[in-house]
Amino acid sequence: MSSVLQLQRQFIDYTTSLHNEGYLDNQFTELQKLQDESNPDFVTEVVSMYFEDSDKLLNNLTTALQQRNVDYKQVDAHAHQFKGSSSSIGAKRVTNVCAHFKGFCEAKNLDGCLRCLQQVKQEYIFFRNKLEALFRLEQQILQAGGSVPMVE
Amino acid sequence: MILPAVVEFSRLFLKWVFVIIMSLNCKISSSSGLNGTSSKMKKVKEPANSGWRWKRLVLFVWLIVVAVGVGFFFISGVFRRKMEVITLTGACKDNKSLVLVQQFNVSNDLLHELAYSFYETDQITALKCTKQLGDKLSTKHEITCSLKGPNSAQNAELWGQCPIHDDDKPSLVHEKVARGHNNGILKVCVWVLLVFALCALIPCLWKNHKVKIKPKEQTQTSSRSAGKWMKKLLVLFVLVGVTVSIWLFWYLNDGIQLRRRETIANMCDERARMLQDQFNVSMNHVHALAILVSTFYHGKQPPAIDQKTFGEYTERTFFERPLTSGVAYALRVRHSEREKFEKEHGWTIKKMDTENQDQTLAQDCDPKNLEPSPIQDEYAPVILSQETVSHIVSIDMMSGKEDRENILRARASGKGVLTSPFKLLKSNHLGVVLTFAVYNTHLHQDATPEERIKATVGYLGASYDVPSLVEKLLHQLASKQTIVVNVYDTTNASAAINMYGPAEADTGFLHISSLDFGDPSRKHEMRCRFKQRPPPPWTAILASGGVLIITFLLGHIFYAAINRIAAVERDYRKMMELKHRAEAADVAKSQFLATVSHEIRTPMNGVLGMLQMLMDTNLDAKQLDFAQTAHASGKDLIKLINEVLDQAKIESGRLELEAVPFELRTILDNVVSLLSTKSQEKGIELAVYVSSQLAEEVVGDPGRFRQIITNLVENSLKFTHDRGHIFVSVHLADEVTDENSLKIFNGSNSNTACNTLSGLPVVDRKKSWENFEKLSGKDLINESEKIKILVTVEDTGVGIPIKAQSSIFTPFMQADSSTSRTYGGTGIGLSISKRLVGLMNGEIGFVSEPGTGSTFSFTAVFMKKETSSLDTVLQQYHPDTSAFRGLRALVIDQKNIRAEVTRYHLQRLGISVEITSDFESAQSYRSEIDSSTFAMVLVDQEVWDKESGLAFLRGVESSTKLFLLANSINPAIQDEIKSANLVATVVQKPLRLSILISCIQETISLGNTSVLARRKPSTLGTLLRDKRILVVDDNIVNRRVAEGALKKYGAIVTCVDSGKAALEKLKPPHSFHACFMDLQMPEMDGFEATRQIRRLESMVNEEIISNNASPWHMPILAMTADVIQATDEECMKCGMDGYVSKPFEEEQLYSAAACFFESG
């Protein structure tokens, strides 16, 4: 029981730190709120969906930026997609970088775009790691027989 | 004197020019201002504008031309005349006549003297001459003749001179005329050139303008270019002015120089001629003397002339030769005859002192000291001499080198011969000796020199004092002061000998006239120059200086004017720029406000939601209080932000009113329910009354209408404390003009106790609309289609201070600053309301009395809805209410107006109402109550009186339900009722349809428990439950999230990933209740998809319209991550019904969805 409590506290701390460090925003909390009995794996489902989608989008972005003649419209569309899904998931930092990315796209700044791409990749990987860690914690809590606490 | 005048003139001129230019400019700027303000007018204004510009340029050029012309004319006209006057000197004429007369006199005198001399001689040698009287007479005649000859010759010459002069003059005149002509031609040429230049310039300018008019920022560039052109013209003008002045100076100076040169030439020539003439006259005399000697000395045997006669004669005829210092006659003596000669005369021929040669004729030279002449071939001893030079008698003239040459030349040529000048000892002047040969025979004109030499018998010499000669001559002439005359012997060209005049000094021009003294081998010339250097050419300087000054003055004037114009134009441009910037800033501000407001709203919703949730958790009283305070503050903030957003929207002119059908009464109910909590908290009675004359449904903007009313009611709520009421009444505008129909509301008019909701006095509401201009609605263009309503919000608040009443509708203005401290708020609500009312073609006004309260009234124009049935809303949302139809109710209320309000609400449910003021009078309905005619009895809490109430109620059948209308639940009353085993449903005021319905429904259908009716607000869950919703989003994550969120609220969600798929799904008929549409999607974005859906719907609607079925209108909500003004508008434009921001927020989702799924 104490381990559950500990895990829960750890979970709360971790989530809070994620919020504080700006990896997550309220939208993630909202997502968590959407998860209930009728929809038990909602967050995991959405997040994995997001990861799939993001991998694809990042690939698309990378190839699009490697073209000889960069189609900024295309890049912008991808970035927009990425931004949209990121904001839906509550990946705040990724969203922010995506917004920058879009700005560079509009300015047709290849250097900026490439830099942003790197940043986005980095942020995304961070986010992914953090989230995976979070899910692991969640799993541990569940395995330990506790319930996942809500973090406001 | 002149300069100040010129300055004054120039100032006036400057003013004048400036005024003209400014006025022109004004027109231009005003027209360009018009251009700036209304782009539509631009095209129309352009020609006029350019016309003005053109005219201005022409005027400018014309001014320059006139200025130049005037200056030029003035100067050339005035100064030239002066110049001409100077040249007219009659000196020469006078001099000539003088000389002529003198010469005549001289000739006359000579004649007389000759005669006299001969007469005397005759007297002395009386006998000798008498017999030759006739001869003598003839001689005299001859002499006269001979004198006449030269005289006439001279005359001829003199007259010849005059004609020459005359000739000269006409030629001069001709020249002048020619110059005048030249001048004229020059002027004409200049003018023509100017005109040509103008002609060339104007099309150039015109073209420039045409070219420059084309660009859009024509005002700026053209004015700038006009300035540039003006500056160029100005520079040109100044350059022309400077050139003209230089040219003028050169021209005038040249004229002056020319005239000076002419003058000196004239004078010099005149002097030379006179000198020559006088010399010639003298020479002629000497010649005559020679002939005399020849005649009387050699022609007579013995000679008729001896030294004495000669001396006397020459002495007495000295006046004839005033310039000779003396004459002497030397006889030609051959060596062979020397001894004889010497013997004859008793002296030896003396040799001229060679060392002293120059002083040969000097008086103090004693001939006795001289050595006898050495032996030579010939001698020329002086035998006869004038007294003045008697010392040279016996001196051999041949012994002097000069004299010898002279003598030789003279006898060879037979003419007078001159020596080179030498110094005369006596006068220390330079002199020349004139030598004439005397022949024994009368030689023919063209005798050879040999013949002449042979015939030579003697020589007559005369010494001339050249300086005296010239001096005397100059004395006779005028203007000797001004010129310096030098006479030179230039026989030896390289070493000219100055015979007269001071040493040369360079004083400008030099005129050289050659002198002919009758000796071809000697050359003389006269050099004349002015004594002084020429004075500076003042006229030229003044004239050109004048032109220059005028040019610079004009230049300065125009420069100042141009600068001023430029400055004004620059200022104008700056102002325009500032104006644009200010406008842009204003727009930006509005934009910023809109954006920021929105941005603030989003997190604020989060805050509020969290607070709400926090309040639901277990909190102790203190925490709850804090949380509630925070929540309330947050709500206020959201409200404020919304207001600011609205203000910004209205200010930027982006707010457009909808035109959708809506129900007035429902709106009012909404307002009441919204504010009911607040009013209940404050214990203020809130009531709504809508005139029955008003149609149920009108077409307009319900949201904005509600906003206005909410604003007013909230305002009233804010300023009303703890007691009193707020009464909202809605009437037709036409209704209020009719006194009777409103009499129950005009309680305050009568003095009978305040017949108001709360019994407190209120202000005269009529005053609030008496200032409305278009109240009666008669001026509405189409009365049948439009409906004008008057809404009055009456409160019993603190009222508005008189001094603040004028600024009550100014944004951010509250009665005073303390108000905002006391009551909070920004004071923006009323301003927004006013603007909204304006947008609805209405007017807003108020009347307020501090201490009594305020009443706000406003009118709004809506469109009538053609088909309207009373029950639409009820049937739609409250289908059970039909059961109430036909029921009867008794309202026991002492206040008419309150009873009326109750009646109004009940009537809406189809319940007929009887009103009675208290329980006593209610007894009159006893029979009806007993017979259960009344389904319900509604008692106002205020009327409740335990005894009479209970007495009354005890008699009421149980089928008749009892309702207690209360502002706040009074447990005491409830207890009293309960104690009497009666059931009374408390209906909490403010009354509104939904509350009434729920209360009545509960009471009637359940019919038992005393449920304190408290209607739960519909939540998102109830709102969306079982609604089929289509989510359109290309982003799978977003889609999933939206689905999850909507599902949570019980909605049945279908997802599609593109606009096209959505189109497929939403092709009528379909079963969806709403659609959430992402805006930014590949292929077909949300806007386009919505447009197409709407198109589909309208097509279907057209088909089904005949079937009387309800038309399809799928509520489409946009989902967007960044909600800015433009998106919002775009959404509305393409037919969307609203938008929710992504990610979903409960509150927003609710408010958006509520529009479609809840009404009432």
Side-chain angles (χ1 to χ4, degrees):
Chain A
M1 197 62 197
S2 63
S3 69
V4 171
L5 273 175
Q6 208 176 350
L7 278 171
Q8 277 177 339
R9 193 169 299 124
Q10 204 181 337
F11 180 81
I12 289 167
D13 286 346
Y14 191 63
T15 318
T16 317
S17 76
L18 285 182
H19 273 91
N20 288 344
E21 285 163 34
Y23 287 105
L24 286 176
D25 61 14
N26 286 332
Q27 185 56 30
F28 189 71
T29 325
E30 295 281 328
L31 272 186
Q32 283 175 322
K33 274 198 256 171
L34 289 179
Q35 180 170 308
D36 52 18
E37 302 79 39
S38 63
N39 214 345
D41 289 327
F42 182 68
V43 175
T44 343
E45 187 197 334
V46 170
V47 168
S48 55
M49 220 181 233
Y50 168 71
F51 286 155
E52 275 170 37
D53 191 47
S54 299
D55 288 337
K56 198 176 74 205
L57 280 172
L58 279 173
N59 261 334
N60 286 347
L61 276 171
T62 316
T63 44
L65 281 172
Q66 275 165 355
Q67 299 297 315
R68 184 172 289 272
N69 293 317
V70 180
D71 183 359
Y72 285 101
K73 231 177 179 173
Q74 176 100 38
V75 177
D76 189 57
H78 288 319
H80 181 74
Q81 282 264 353
F82 199 18
K83 182 180 162 234
S85 50
S86 298
S87 76
S88 281
I89 216 82
K92 196 172 166 190
R93 284 166 74 149
V94 183
T95 314
N96 289 345
V97 180
C98 281
H100 274 122
F101 202 154
K102 271 168 70 72
F104 281 122
C105 274
E106 271 158 36
K108 307 206 167 175
N109 183 341
L110 187 61
D111 282 351
C113 282
L114 288 171
R115 211 163 49 236
C116 267
L117 181 65
Q118 283 312 308
Q119 252 176 307
V120 166
K121 276 183 177 166
Q122 203 178 351
E123 287 294 343
Y124 169 67
I125 288 161
F126 277 150
F127 177 73
R128 191 176 180 152
N129 290 339
K130 301 266 177 193
L131 225 54
E132 274 165 358
L134 193 72
F135 286 147
R136 269 198 302 280
L137 257 177
E138 226 177 276
Q139 287 301 314
Q140 281 172 1
I141 293 170
L142 288 174
Q143 276 169 7
S147 64
V148 180
M150 281 297 284
V151 182
E152 291 289 337
Chain B
M1 278 295 276
I2 289 164
L3 202 66
V6 166
V7 167
E8 192 57 38
F9 167 74
S10 71
R11 194 177 299 156
L12 278 171
F13 188 66
L14 170 69
K15 264 186 192 168
W16 181 66
V17 166
F18 188 67
V19 163
I20 287 175
I21 292 173
M22 279 315 288
S23 68
L24 290 178
N25 239 32
C26 260
K27 270 164 190 157
I28 285 157
S29 64
S30 70
S31 59
S32 56
L34 267 169
N35 282 357
T37 47
S38 75
S39 53
K40 280 175 197 166
M41 291 291 283
K42 210 174 212 166
K43 288 230 162 84
V44 186
K45 278 275 165 185
E46 252 174 25
N49 190 4
S50 59
W52 267 109
R53 205 169 288 282
W54 193 79
K55 274 182 191 170
R56 181 174 64 164
L57 265 162
V58 167
L59 187 79
F60 185 73
V61 168
W62 177 80
L63 279 174
I64 288 176
V65 167
V66 164
V68 169
V70 164
F72 187 78
F73 187 76
F74 177 72
I75 284 157
S76 64
V78 170
F79 285 88
R80 272 204 56 77
R81 205 133 301 182
K82 250 186 181 173
M83 301 304 300
E84 278 169 22
V85 171
I86 295 166
T87 57
L88 293 172
T89 47
C92 79
K93 212 172 187 181
D94 296 345
N95 289 345
K96 283 283 147 14
S97 60
L98 192 82
V99 169
L100 208 67
V101 167
Q102 254 182 3
Q103 284 191 347
F104 269 115
N105 284 347
V106 164
S107 307
N108 244 8
D109 285 354
L110 181 76
L111 212 63
H112 279 287
E113 198 52 42
L114 190 71
Y116 183 70
S117 170
F118 273 94
Y119 179 68
E120 269 199 345
T121 326
D122 280 359
Q123 269 192 331
I124 295 162
T125 53
L127 287 168
K128 280 175 197 171
C129 290
T130 41
K131 62 175 179 184
Q132 287 182 346
L133 194 69
D135 196 28
K136 195 182 173 186
L137 273 170
S138 71
T139 314
K140 195 178 179 179
H141 181 70
E142 208 179 284
I143 287 167
T144 317
C145 282
S146 72
L147 273 170
K148 251 183 195 163
N151 234 359
S152 65
Q154 264 184 20
N155 275 1
E157 230 182 276
L158 281 170
W159 286 120
Q161 274 174 6
C162 272
I164 285 166
H165 271 279
D166 284 349
D167 274 354
D168 259 359
K169 256 195 200 156
S171 74
L172 210 97
V173 169
H174 271 303
E175 217 176 284
K176 264 177 199 162
V177 169
R179 202 175 295 150
H181 273 299
N182 267 349
N183 245 339
I185 288 163
L186 242 159
K187 265 189 207 167
V188 168
C189 280
V190 166
W191 278 109
V192 165
L193 265 174
L194 254 167
V195 168
F196 271 126
L198 284 181
C199 289
L201 263 176
I202 286 165
C204 208
L205 286 170
W206 184 234
K207 240 181 232 169
N208 253 331
H209 269 271
K210 269 193 173 167
V211 169
K212 261 162 201 167
I213 280 162
K214 274 170 192 167
K216 277 180 186 172
E217 55 275 17
Q218 146 257 4
T219 24
Q220 282 191 13
T221 48
S222 66
S223 67
R224 213 171 280 162
S225 74
K228 236 180 237 172
W229 266 105
M230 277 181 166
K231 281 214 168 126
K232 273 182 191 167
L233 270 177
L234 186 70
V235 168
L236 195 74
F237 165 68
V238 169
L239 283 178
V240 165
V242 169
T243 318
V244 163
S245 84
I246 289 168
W247 172 78
L248 192 70
F249 176 77
W250 170 80
Y251 175 74
L252 291 176
N253 195 32
D254 206 45
I256 289 166
Q257 301 283 345
L258 198 71
R259 249 164 262 122
R260 210 172 146 79
R261 214 182 284 274
E262 272 171 13
T263 314
I264 193 114
N266 280 341
M267 284 165 92
C268 199
D269 283 344
E270 176 198 331
R271 274 157 183 73
R273 213 171 288 124
M274 281 177 65
L275 183 65
Q276 198 177 310
D277 291 345
Q278 290 221 341
F279 194 85
N280 284 343
V281 168
S282 262
M283 203 164 78
N284 284 340
H285 281 290
V286 174
H287 198 176
L289 211 57
I291 292 161
L292 188 83
V293 168
S294 149
T295 313
F296 290 101
Y297 187 80
H298 295 287
K300 302 278 181 203
Q301 236 11 288
I305 299 169
D306 58 0
Q307 168 62 31
K308 193 174 163 250
T309 323
F310 188 81
E312 209 170 321
Y313 175 73
T314 50
E315 200 62 48
R316 288 179 69 178
T317 56
F318 183 64
F319 68 89
E320 297 250 36
R321 316 171 298 273
L323 308 170
T324 54
S325 49
V327 289
Y329 177 67
L331 195 67
R332 184 185 183 186
V333 179
R334 290 189 178 79
H335 187 63
S336 53
E337 298 159 341
R338 180 176 173 172
E339 272 177 61
K340 183 189 166 201
F341 176 81
E342 280 178 347
K343 238 181 254 170
E344 219 170 87
H345 284 84
W347 37 257
T348 52
I349 297 163
K350 306 285 193 315
K351 177 195 165 207
M352 205 184 281
D353 189 1
T354 43
E355 286 100 65
N356 225 357
Q357 196 186 10
D358 284 355
Q359 298 159 14
T360 329
L361 296 174
Q363 206 169 29
D364 24 330
C365 185
D366 191 0
K368 289 182 178 103
N369 301 341
L370 295 172
E371 290 168 31
S373 171
I375 295 157
Q376 277 178 324
D377 287 351
E378 277 181 39
Y379 308 97
V382 176
I383 53 166
L384 303 170
S385 73
Q386 202 179 335
E387 285 303 310
T388 48
V389 288
S390 56
H391 57 278
I392 58 161
V393 171
S394 82
I395 291 174
D396 176 17
M397 298 317 279
M398 295 280 265
S399 59
K401 193 183 166 222
E402 285 274 329
D403 295 288
R404 182 189 169 82
E405 272 174 27
N406 241 17
I407 288 163
L408 292 176
R409 276 201 295 130
R411 68 178 186 199
S413 63
K415 285 175 184 166
V417 166
L418 289 172
T419 60
S420 63
F422 54 87
K423 230 171 202 167
L424 296 175
L425 195 69
K426 193 177 166 192
S427 55
N428 209 15
H429 288 161
L430 279 180
V432 288
V433 173
L434 174 71
T435 312
F436 267 106
V438 179
Y439 304 103
N440 51 0
T441 50
H442 183 73
L443 283 169
H444 196 256
Q445 275 284 300
D446 44 358
T448 59
E450 285 76 28
E451 284 170 349
R452 287 181 187 281
I453 292 166
K454 215 177 164 189
T456 306
V457 286
Y459 322 97
L460 191 74
S463 71
Y464 280 86
D465 185 351
V466 179
S468 313
L469 176 72
V470 180
E471 200 83 35
K472 201 179 157 207
L473 176 76
L474 293 181
H475 264 293
Q476 294 170 356
L477 293 174
S479 60
K480 60 174 179 172
Q481 306 297 337
T482 53
I483 62 167
V484 177
V485 177
N486 282 53
V487 180
Y488 282 89
D489 182 321
T490 53
T491 314
N492 185 354
S494 57
I497 301 158
N498 189 2
M499 293 161 73
Y500 173 78
E504 283 190 46
D506 185 24
T507 55
F509 326 109
L510 175 74
H511 186 82
I512 298 170
S513 311
S514 61
L515 292 168
D516 180 15
F517 289 148
D519 182 354
S521 63
R522 292 220 162 261
K523 280 175 193 142
H524 296 88
E525 60 183 37
M526 181 181 267
R527 294 179 187 176
C528 301
R529 54 165 53 89
F530 283 101
K531 239 174 204 161
Q532 266 101 34
R533 286 193 149 273
W538 285 117
T539 42
I541 287 170
L542 280 177
S544 58
V547 169
L548 210 61
I549 285 167
I550 287 170
T551 304
F552 281 128
L553 267 175
L554 282 177
H556 177 75
I557 287 165
F558 282 117
Y559 181 72
I562 287 168
N563 268 3
R564 186 90 184 87
I565 290 164
V568 168
E569 274 177 356
R570 200 168 48 237
D571 286 354
Y572 168 74
R573 273 200 297 279
K574 215 185 278 169
M575 300 292 177
M576 283 307 283
E577 200 186 317
L578 286 177
K579 188 175 159 253
H580 288 317
R581 232 190 280 164
E583 281 168 357
D586 197 46
V587 170
K589 182 206 80 182
S590 298
Q591 186 78 46
F592 171 77
L593 274 178
T595 317
V596 162
S597 303
H598 183 81
E599 293 305 313
I600 295 170
R601 210 152 47 155
T602 314
M604 270 315 290
N605 281 335
V607 171
L608 286 179
M610 292 304 114
L611 280 170
Q612 193 83 54
M613 288 181 190
L614 181 68
M615 284 190 287
D616 292 343
T617 56
N618 267 337
L619 297 173
D620 63 32
K622 218 174 180 183
Q623 285 170 331
L624 188 65
D625 182 42
F626 290 163
Q628 276 168 347
T629 315
H631 191 251
S633 310
K635 273 196 159 166
D636 284 349
L637 181 57
I638 285 284
K639 203 169 130 324
L640 167 66
I641 289 162
N642 285 339
E643 278 177 352
V644 170
L645 193 60
D646 277 344
Q647 180 78 16
K649 258 187 187 172
I650 294 168
E651 272 181 7
S652 55
R654 278 168 154 174
L655 193 82
E656 278 172 25
L657 292 182
E658 282 181 273
V660 296
F662 70 98
E663 288 173 42
L664 277 171
R665 291 172 176 83
T666 315
I667 297 288
L668 285 162
D669 280 346
N670 283 348
V671 173
V672 166
S673 60
L674 189 73
L675 298 169
S676 58
T677 337
K678 231 185 219 170
S679 68
Q680 279 162 10
E681 279 166 9
K682 285 188 116 177
I684 298 163
E685 188 161 356
L686 179 64
V688 172
Y689 175 83
V690 180
S691 164
S692 56
Q693 293 186 30
L694 264 155
E696 198 69 25
E697 272 196 312
V698 290
V699 178
D701 191 329
R704 296 302 171 186
F705 181 64
R706 175 166 47 197
Q707 195 179 355
I708 301 169
I709 295 176
T710 312
N711 269 335
L712 292 177
V713 174
E714 278 189 331
N715 204 47
S716 291
L717 262 176
K718 201 190 288 172
F719 293 104
T720 308
H721 306 291
D722 302 334
R723 65 198 192 96
H725 67 270
I726 293 159
F727 179 44
V728 184
S729 61
V730 184
H731 298 275
L732 273 176
D734 296 331
E735 210 179 334
V736 295
T737 51
D738 182 7
E739 285 287 321
N740 296 328
S741 63
L742 278 179
K743 63 179 180 230
I744 57 153
F745 299 106
N746 296 337
S748 57
N749 275 354
S750 60
N751 280 333
T752 61
C754 297
N755 184 16
T756 61
L757 273 180
S758 60
L760 290 169
V762 292
V763 291
D764 184 4
R765 50 162 55 199
K766 273 205 269 183
K767 280 182 189 159
S768 63
W769 64 70
E770 66 188 5
N771 286 332
F772 288 4
E773 287 167 9
K774 303 179 283 185
L775 182 65
S776 60
K778 285 189 178 91
D779 52 357
L780 292 177
I781 305 157
N782 199 340
E783 238 178 299
S784 60
E785 277 183 18
K786 291 190 174 164
I787 179 169
K788 192 170 204 168
I789 62 161
L790 175 84
V791 181
T792 315
V793 179
E794 174 189 280
D795 70 48
T796 56
V798 293
I800 305 159
I802 305 289
K803 59 171 180 172
Q805 288 190 1
S806 56
S807 60
I808 204 78
F809 290 117
T810 319
F812 306 107
M813 192 78 93
Q814 279 190 338
D816 60 66
S817 55
S818 66
T819 318
S820 55
R821 281 202 295 277
T822 321
Y823 303 107
T826 52
I828 206 174
L830 281 177
S831 155
I832 293 172
S833 298
K834 186 178 166 66
R835 285 166 184 270
L836 287 174
V837 166
L839 285 173
M840 290 179 184
N841 296 320
E843 288 163 286
I844 190 165
F846 69 95
V847 59
S848 181
E849 251 177 62
T852 307
S854 318
T855 299
F856 282 82
S857 297
F858 73 89
T859 57
V861 177
F862 294 114
M863 306 285 279
K864 276 181 184 162
K865 193 172 182 274
E866 279 132 39
T867 55
S868 71
S869 65
L870 187 77
D871 297 329
T872 31
V873 186
L874 293 171
Q875 281 173 346
Q876 208 170 330
Y877 298 103
H878 307 282
D880 306 330
T881 53
S882 52
F884 304 151
R885 196 160 291 279
L887 292 178
R888 292 189 70 196
L890 179 67
V891 173
I892 303 174
D893 198 335
Q894 63 190 12
K895 282 176 185 152
N896 263 339
I897 193 161
R898 196 160 52 190
E900 279 302 323
V901 171
T902 316
R903 194 219 293 265
Y904 150 71
H905 285 293
L906 288 172
Q907 273 180 348
R908 290 173 70 191
L909 292 169
I911 300 169
S912 55
V913 176
E914 296 294 333
I915 296 172
T916 181
S917 63
D918 49 34
F919 289 112
E920 274 78 49
S921 52
Q923 296 296 340
S924 58
Y925 294 100
R926 193 80 242 181
S927 57
E928 291 173 71
I929 292 167
D930 288 340
S931 59
S932 300
T933 334
F934 289 112
M936 55 194 91
V937 175
L938 295 103
V939 183
D940 194 274
Q941 198 176 327
E942 267 183 41
V943 191
W944 182 258
D945 172 30
K946 192 180 176 187
E947 286 170 29
S948 55
L950 285 176
F952 174 76
L953 292 175
R954 280 201 187 95
V956 176
E957 294 278 323
S958 65
S959 62
T960 305
K961 307 297 175 198
L962 180 64
F963 293 93
L964 201 58
L965 303 173
N967 267 330
S968 52
I969 294 147
N970 189 336
I973 297 175
Q974 273 186 296
D975 288 344
E976 279 168 21
I977 294 171
K978 262 186 189 167
S979 64
N981 283 327
L982 284 168
V983 178
T985 311
V986 178
V987 181
Q988 197 165 12
K989 284 198 255 188
L991 288 179
R992 51 196 188 273
L993 202 59
S994 49
I995 278 211
L996 265 178
I997 288 169
S998 61
C999 286
I1000 295 171
Q1001 254 176 349
E1002 277 174 29
T1003 320
I1004 288 177
S1005 56
L1006 303 172
N1008 41 24
T1009 51
S1010 63
V1011 178
L1012 292 182
R1014 186 187 285 248
R1015 190 175 175 245
K1016 275 188 116 184
S1018 66
T1019 58
L1020 208 51
T1022 59
L1023 208 63
L1024 293 177
R1025 185 159 303 282
D1026 296 333
K1027 295 284 190 298
R1028 277 182 292 277
I1029 292 173
L1030 183 70
V1031 171
V1032 188
D1033 198 327
D1034 62 315
N1035 191 319
I1036 183 168
V1037 180
N1038 288 352
R1039 210 158 56 221
R1040 188 69 190 87
V1041 172
E1043 186 189 351
L1046 290 171
K1047 264 187 180 162
K1048 195 191 169 193
Y1049 300 121
I1052 302 156
V1053 182
T1054 313
C1055 290
V1056 290
D1057 62 351
S1058 74
K1060 273 185 182 160
L1063 268 182
E1064 291 285 315
K1065 290 271 181 192
L1066 289 177
K1067 204 168 191 170
H1070 57 74
S1071 58
F1072 290 104
H1073 290 102
C1075 170
F1076 285 74
M1077 177 92 68
D1078 187 29
L1079 285 182
Q1080 210 168 350
M1081 288 185 293
E1083 286 179 57
M1084 184 188 286
D1085 65 10
F1087 299 124
E1088 183 55 34
T1090 309
R1091 270 194 285 272
Q1092 297 216 11
I1093 288 165
R1094 292 287 177 242
R1095 205 175 302 139
L1096 271 174
E1097 279 178 349
S1098 64
M1099 275 161 61
V1100 176
N1101 284 346
E1102 269 170 35
E1103 283 172 28
I1104 64 168
I1105 206 141
S1106 47
N1107 304 341
N1108 256 343
S1110 64
W1112 286 97
H1113 183 91
M1114 160 70 81
I1116 299 177
L1117 293 169
M1119 290 191 294
T1120 168
D1122 33 15
V1123 189
I1124 49 167
Q1125 214 75 38
T1127 335
D1128 183 18
E1129 275 165 23
E1130 182 81 2
C1131 288
M1132 297 308 164
K1133 211 180 279 173
C1134 68
M1136 287 181 175
D1137 298 281
Y1139 64 86
V1140 288
S1141 65
K1142 270 193 306 190
F1144 286 153
E1145 277 150 23
E1146 189 178 341
E1147 186 111 351
Q1148 210 197 347
L1149 192 60
Y1150 171 73
S1151 60
C1155 297
F1156 312 104
F1157 301 128
E1158 188 208 42
S1159 307

